[in-house]
Amino acid sequence: MHKKSIILFLGVIFSTLLYGQEKDQVLLTINNSPVYRSEFKRVYLKNIDLVKDESQKDVDEYLELFINYKLKLEEARSQGLDKKESYVKELAGYKKQLSASYLTDTKVSDALVKEAYDRLQQRVNASHILVQVRPDALPKDTLAAYEKITEARNKVISGEDFKKVAVAYSQDPSVKKNGGDLGWFSAFRMVYPFEDAAFTTEVGKVSEPFRTRFGYHIVKVNNKEKSLGEVTVAHIMVAFNKDKTEEQAAKRIKEIQAQLNEKASFESLAKQYSDDRNTAINGGKINRFGQGALNSESFEKVAFGLKEKGELSEPVKTKYGWHIVKLIEKHPPKTFEELKGELTQRVKKDSRSKLITESFINSLKEKYGLEKNEKALSYFKKIVPSTIFNEKWNFSEDDANLKKNLFKIGDQNFTYLDFAKFIQNKGTRKSNTKEVAVLVDRIYEDYESAMLLQYYEENLEQDNQDFANVISEYRDGLLLFDLMETKIWNAAKTDSLGLQKYYDSRKNDYIQNESYKIMKASSANKELITKVEKLLKKGKDVNVIKKEVNTSETNKVLFTEQIVEKDVDDLAGKFSGKSGEIISTTEDNYITLIKVMEVIPSRIKTFEETKGKVINDFQEDLEKQWLNELRGKYSVELNEKTLKKIKKELSI
């Protein structure tokens, strides 16, 4: 895990969360600053299930970690790290990023999430016709586009072939190739208004004209079907790479297929010979996936085409290599609860999020009792000149009317002058209207929404306890990261003499265990393995043995060489480690013969070989010394009576 991730995680664990702190018993004081009983209990109970080390679940052990954390924060503040420009900037950036998740209407969001889930349970096959029109088009252009799409729809409704009408009318660049056919899609594959029209139109019907940011559309729904759900498969892959051509990969996959035809274990072959090492360790198993999840249509087609558990595919070629696929299980669609978190994030990023924003703005208007200032609108519609569409509007700030209040949000007043400056900045931007009154209305809505969001965001810490807690956690975690980076991590990396001295004094901690260079011969054919064993015992060269036993394309022995380390690799524990030793293992009727070709003695690793671990150990040693210094620098006073009460309350 990256160091910053670790520190920010610790920030979550040890955040003080002092907002709204009620008076209670003091557990301890650090540099004369009190830490309360309720605070320690809260963070202990909140995070104890996240702690894997059982010793840290002990209250006394946890308290030591807690005190160490507090001491580091005290040191960071004493060094002024909380005033650093980089710290302030990063904290502000995180606060801005986090606040976005609070500027939303959760009820509308939840409804859209549920709708998205329901739509993901099926797919739609549809065709469309598009008449392009810009979002900011003039009214006459918008009307012309609407009339054209209506004309196209009328022809389709009257019985004309949809593809012919699409080619004649649609301005979709791909229409000449596909005749408007979009194929199959599900939720999130199209902009929301298009998706909505496709899912709410019956099969065989044509929708009413509707508008997206691209223009006006009509959509014809050709078919609908339930989703196939998800599938779990395993695979053996022989990759194309710099060491293996496509031809060599094809030959190898056929050899593996021959082994499978002889009832060799799929899992054993995958573990030993699949080039997808991420899945090979689990017998080739891939995490369950749905349609469109993988970047390989050919692989998905084969995977979903398998019918029975355990069924094997023929070799299939993808852009990554050759594969043999085994069906493990077919899954029905995930439940709503399983997908809720993922869908919530997708909805926020999707075009439907505009609906959520509009609803949230309306809720803020109600929260702050904001009403449209019609008098102000009338005033600005009179004084804003028509030249604003071509040049900057210059107004006199001496106008007494500009001192009037436009509206009030919470405890903040917004004046006519504030709005005038906003109009001044927005006015000359491209607009689909040349009417001053229409422009003022639109800019007023933008200004009102912007100020509502700005005020709410600026006051989130006072208005929303959950937000305040998360920011507090991040603030302390980020501060500790800066301190640790300066005091420990960078110091350890740059102190080359100190690192070398540390390594020299502890060389025996960095041992390379005895290792073995081995040759493996694997097959489901016992007779072939027996023949290999006899030839090995006679001292025959491996290349000679390969030629003698692999005389058939359908029944071969697979040979591999590798190095295994004692007490690290499980395979090393299967033999005594003597050079020339031969043993065999069997898994699911698949036999592997192993010969120790060379014994590599145990030795002390060089500094360069183990530099990463030396740095890590050196850092831990530095931190222990530093914490002892902090204990001497800052006073720590513990209230034993309060600690005893905490232990009793926690039933420790």
Side-chain angles (χ1 to χ4, degrees):
M1 184 182 290
H2 191 278
K3 287 188 177 71
K4 182 171 283 191
S5 299
I6 294 172
I7 292 302
L8 297 184
F9 170 72
L10 289 173
V12 173
I13 291 181
F14 296 123
S15 170
T16 57
L17 307 182
L18 286 175
Y19 294 90
Q21 175 78 61
E22 60 178 318
K23 290 184 179 181
D24 58 20
Q25 293 171 313
V26 174
L27 171 62
L28 55 91
T29 58
I30 294 181
N31 206 30
N32 298 319
S33 297
V35 179
Y36 294 96
R37 161 179 150 264
S38 60
E39 177 191 343
F40 178 77
K41 278 185 61 180
R42 182 168 56 249
V43 296
Y44 178 89
L45 292 172
K46 176 182 177 182
N47 300 289
I48 198 62
D49 290 337
L50 301 176
V51 179
K52 294 181 179 180
D53 187 341
E54 288 297 322
S55 68
Q56 293 178 14
K57 294 185 179 182
D58 177 84
V59 172
D60 291 319
E61 294 288 341
Y62 196 86
L63 180 59
E64 288 302 303
L65 294 173
F66 184 77
I67 291 173
N68 288 342
Y69 185 81
K70 290 284 190 177
L71 285 168
K72 291 174 184 176
L73 288 175
E74 192 69 31
E75 176 67 8
R77 295 187 183 98
S78 73
Q79 292 185 17
L81 296 182
D82 56 335
K83 303 295 191 298
K84 279 177 55 180
E85 183 180 351
S86 59
Y87 170 82
V88 173
K89 185 177 181 180
E90 184 162 355
L91 181 61
Y94 177 77
K95 187 175 181 181
K96 183 73 175 177
Q97 180 182 3
L98 179 65
S99 65
S101 62
Y102 291 83
L103 306 179
T104 185
D105 187 320
T106 55
K107 289 183 179 180
V108 174
S109 178
D110 288 346
L112 288 170
V113 169
K114 183 61 171 64
E115 178 188 74
Y117 173 78
D118 292 339
R119 289 179 177 177
L120 283 172
Q121 307 316 301
Q122 60 178 317
R123 299 196 301 166
V124 176
N125 187 291
S127 302
H128 86 131
I129 295 173
L130 165 68
V131 176
Q132 294 178 349
V133 59
R134 292 168 54 90
D136 59 352
L138 295 173
K140 65 181 183 64
D141 295 327
T142 301
L143 179 60
Y146 181 80
E147 290 175 344
K148 185 174 181 180
I149 197 71
T150 301
E151 182 180 314
R153 183 178 186 275
N154 289 338
K155 288 191 175 184
V156 174
I157 296 298
S158 66
E160 289 193 35
D161 180 70
F162 189 93
K163 288 187 177 181
K164 290 183 179 179
V165 176
V167 170
Y169 282 84
S170 185
Q171 294 171 341
D172 183 335
S174 65
V175 69
K176 291 183 179 179
K177 293 182 179 180
N178 59 25
D181 185 7
L182 298 171
W184 291 96
F185 58 90
S186 190
F188 298 107
R189 295 297 180 89
M190 305 292 181
V191 291
Y192 182 68
F194 193 99
E195 173 196 308
D196 200 46
F199 275 89
T200 55
T201 300
E202 296 180 15
V203 174
K205 302 293 185 179
V206 179
S207 72
E208 293 291 336
F210 61 93
R211 190 171 182 177
T212 72
R213 66 174 183 267
F214 305 107
Y216 279 106
H217 309 251
I218 56 171
V219 60
K220 179 186 178 185
V221 176
N222 304 315
N223 202 356
K224 293 181 181 181
E225 67 177 21
K226 288 185 177 180
S227 168
L228 294 178
E230 295 180 317
V231 67
T232 298
V233 300
H235 78 137
I236 298 172
M237 180 179 82
V238 180
F240 311 143
N241 52 45
K242 61 180 181 179
D243 300 319
K244 198 178 297 162
T245 65
E246 289 192 27
E247 184 179 349
Q248 290 171 327
K251 183 178 179 182
R252 186 65 159 178
I253 203 73
K254 288 179 181 178
E255 292 175 348
I256 292 173
Q257 185 182 33
Q259 298 283 325
L260 291 169
N261 291 339
E262 290 295 319
K263 307 303 180 185
S265 165
F266 186 97
E267 289 72 24
S268 296
L269 283 167
K271 287 177 184 177
Q272 295 191 57
Y273 301 111
S274 178
D275 288 332
D276 182 358
R277 303 315 300 170
N278 290 326
T279 62
I281 193 172
N282 294 318
K285 184 179 179 181
I286 301 173
N287 292 334
R288 59 192 279 184
F289 59 88
Q291 293 165 285
L294 302 183
N295 189 22
S296 177
E297 186 177 345
S298 57
F299 188 96
E300 283 188 7
K301 185 176 180 180
V302 168
F304 280 97
L306 296 172
K307 304 298 182 185
E308 303 294 331
K309 287 184 180 181
E311 183 181 350
L312 302 179
S313 74
E314 289 294 317
V316 56
K317 182 181 177 182
T318 70
K319 62 183 178 182
Y320 306 107
W322 281 95
H323 312 253
I324 296 175
V325 186
K326 177 183 178 180
L327 177 62
I328 296 176
E329 187 177 359
K330 288 196 170 184
H331 309 277
K334 288 183 180 180
T335 66
F336 176 67
E337 289 304 318
E338 288 176 315
L339 280 177
K340 186 177 180 181
E342 175 188 338
L343 292 179
T344 299
Q345 294 304 314
R346 293 183 71 177
V347 163
K348 288 178 180 178
K349 297 176 182 179
D350 187 62
S351 55
R352 68 195 79 200
S353 62
K354 184 178 180 181
L355 301 175
I356 303 172
T357 301
E358 290 174 353
S359 178
F360 185 65
I361 291 296
N362 289 333
S363 71
L364 291 182
K365 288 180 181 179
E366 184 176 347
K367 174 183 176 68
Y368 297 116
L370 196 63
E371 294 183 1
K372 184 178 289 188
N373 190 330
E374 296 291 354
K375 287 185 178 180
L377 281 170
S378 297
Y379 170 75
F380 280 101
K381 288 174 183 178
K382 291 177 182 177
I383 68 167
V384 173
S386 59
T387 54
I388 193 171
F389 297 107
N390 303 310
E391 59 186 42
K392 185 177 180 179
W393 173 38
N394 293 312
F395 57 87
S396 173
E397 294 189 19
D398 294 332
D399 185 344
N401 287 304
L402 296 181
K403 296 179 181 179
K404 293 181 180 179
N405 283 335
L406 184 70
F407 50 69
K408 184 177 182 181
I409 303 175
D411 58 0
Q412 185 173 349
N413 288 314
F414 297 85
T415 67
Y416 279 35
L417 178 60
D418 296 326
F419 183 48
K421 291 178 179 179
F422 192 78
I423 295 175
Q424 189 181 57
N425 291 330
K426 293 277 188 178
T428 54
R429 295 184 182 181
K430 289 184 178 181
S431 173
N432 62 350
T433 181
K434 295 299 180 182
E435 296 290 331
V436 170
V438 174
L439 179 70
V440 170
D441 281 332
R442 290 180 182 177
I443 295 180
Y444 182 87
E445 289 179 8
D446 290 344
Y447 182 69
E448 188 179 60
S449 298
M451 295 306 102
L452 281 165
L453 289 171
Q454 177 181 298
Y455 183 86
Y456 184 71
E457 184 177 354
E458 289 175 349
N459 291 274
L460 259 177
E461 280 196 74
Q462 293 73 40
D463 198 63
N464 189 299
Q465 187 63 49
D466 179 58
F467 178 83
N469 291 343
V470 176
I471 286 297
S472 177
E473 293 167 0
Y474 191 86
R475 181 183 289 117
D476 286 351
L478 187 61
L479 190 61
L480 182 57
F481 174 83
D482 283 350
L483 179 68
M484 292 293 289
E485 185 174 48
T486 304
K487 183 68 180 179
I488 303 296
W489 300 329
N490 287 344
K493 289 178 181 178
T494 57
D495 187 2
S496 56
L497 292 178
L499 278 173
Q500 185 66 53
K501 185 178 179 181
Y502 184 86
Y503 165 77
D504 291 339
S505 67
R506 294 169 172 80
K507 283 185 177 181
N508 289 332
D509 292 340
Y510 307 106
I511 300 294
Q512 171 72 55
N513 293 336
E514 184 176 84
S515 301
Y516 314 101
K517 184 178 181 181
I518 64 171
M519 184 280 298
K520 296 193 303 182
S522 307
S523 177
N525 189 311
K526 187 175 182 180
E527 291 182 5
L528 284 178
I529 292 295
T530 301
K531 185 176 181 180
V532 171
E533 184 174 8
K534 288 179 179 179
L535 293 171
L536 284 171
K537 288 180 177 179
K538 288 180 180 181
K540 289 288 187 75
D541 183 78
V542 173
N543 290 323
V544 174
I545 296 174
K546 287 181 182 179
K547 291 180 180 179
E548 289 196 32
V549 298
N550 288 339
T551 58
S552 169
E553 287 294 328
T554 59
N555 200 352
K556 286 190 173 185
V557 177
L558 298 180
F559 290 87
T560 306
E561 289 188 1
Q562 66 185 90
I563 294 176
V564 294
E565 185 178 348
K566 187 177 181 180
D567 299 328
V568 175
D569 297 296
D570 291 339
L571 190 57
K574 296 183 182 295
F575 44 83
S576 63
K578 295 179 181 179
S579 182
E581 180 183 6
I582 299 174
I583 66 166
S584 66
T585 63
T586 303
E587 184 178 350
D588 298 328
N589 297 319
Y590 193 67
I591 308 167
T592 298
L593 194 70
I594 303 169
K595 180 178 179 180
V596 179
M597 309 296 287
E598 181 185 351
V599 177
I600 304 170
S602 174
R603 63 180 177 82
I604 295 175
K605 294 180 181 179
T606 66
F607 175 76
E608 288 302 323
E609 283 180 298
T610 190
K611 187 175 180 180
K613 189 174 188 314
V614 173
I615 291 175
N616 186 68
D617 294 345
F618 187 43
Q619 287 174 347
E620 290 184 3
D621 195 55
L622 284 177
E623 186 173 355
K624 288 178 183 178
Q625 296 176 36
W626 177 50
L627 282 170
N628 287 333
E629 294 174 7
L630 293 182
R631 294 260 178 170
K633 182 176 181 179
Y634 300 108
S635 62
V636 178
E637 297 180 13
L638 178 66
N639 188 325
E640 295 287 351
K641 185 177 180 180
T642 303
L643 178 60
K644 185 177 181 180
K645 186 173 182 179
I646 289 174
K647 289 181 177 180
K648 184 177 180 181
E649 290 170 341
L650 295 173
S651 300
I652 301 298

